[in-house]
Amino acid sequence: LLAVPMLLGTACAAAIQQDTQRMLAAAGFQMRPVDTAEVQEDLRSIPPHRIVSRTKDGNVVYMYADPDKCHCVYVGGSKEYSEYERRRLEREFAPPAGAAGGAP
């Protein structure tokens, strides 16, 4: 009985990570598999499942590492990050599905 909350928490976390990855891709982030030394270093240097910014060649680059499921790094620039944030906020503040609009 004690294992049920842990299993539900794990399933919920996996769903959130998958949803984040879908939103990153929809915002224009590029998924890079860990197939080069540079991407392997990115994967090791980034906290997992968090978007971080780095400056590379004078440009801000945003990265999201998933060392667990896809074993990849999502990479985007300022334009893609702004689009991701717009989509995230839109989803966060959207009314629940099936909610009736308007005043009574």
Side-chain angles (χ1 to χ4, degrees):
L1 198 57
L2 293 175
V4 172
M6 289 189 331
L7 291 174
L8 289 174
T10 301
C12 186
I16 290 170
Q17 290 166 10
Q18 187 175 19
D19 190 46
T20 298
Q21 291 174 4
R22 273 194 291 254
M23 286 182 23
L24 288 167
F29 277 72
Q30 299 297 309
M31 191 269 290
R32 299 217 173 122
V34 181
D35 57 1
T36 66
E38 181 181 12
V39 180
Q40 285 176 356
E41 180 57 34
D42 287 341
L43 187 67
R44 283 192 296 272
S45 69
I46 300 170
H49 312 294
R50 295 184 65 198
I51 297 174
V52 298
S53 64
R54 300 277 203 263
T55 302
K56 191 172 189 176
D57 300 326
N59 297 313
V60 177
V61 176
Y62 295 88
M63 295 185 278
Y64 175 93
D66 181 357
D68 306 319
K69 192 162 183 141
C70 77
H71 204 63
C72 65
V73 176
Y74 285 82
V75 180
S78 297
K79 177 182 161 192
E80 291 80 13
Y81 182 73
S82 292
E83 178 63 14
Y84 167 79
E85 280 297 303
R86 185 191 69 74
R87 289 171 180 263
R88 187 185 65 76
L89 290 172
E90 185 176 85
R91 174 171 281 169
E92 186 175 322
F93 293 108

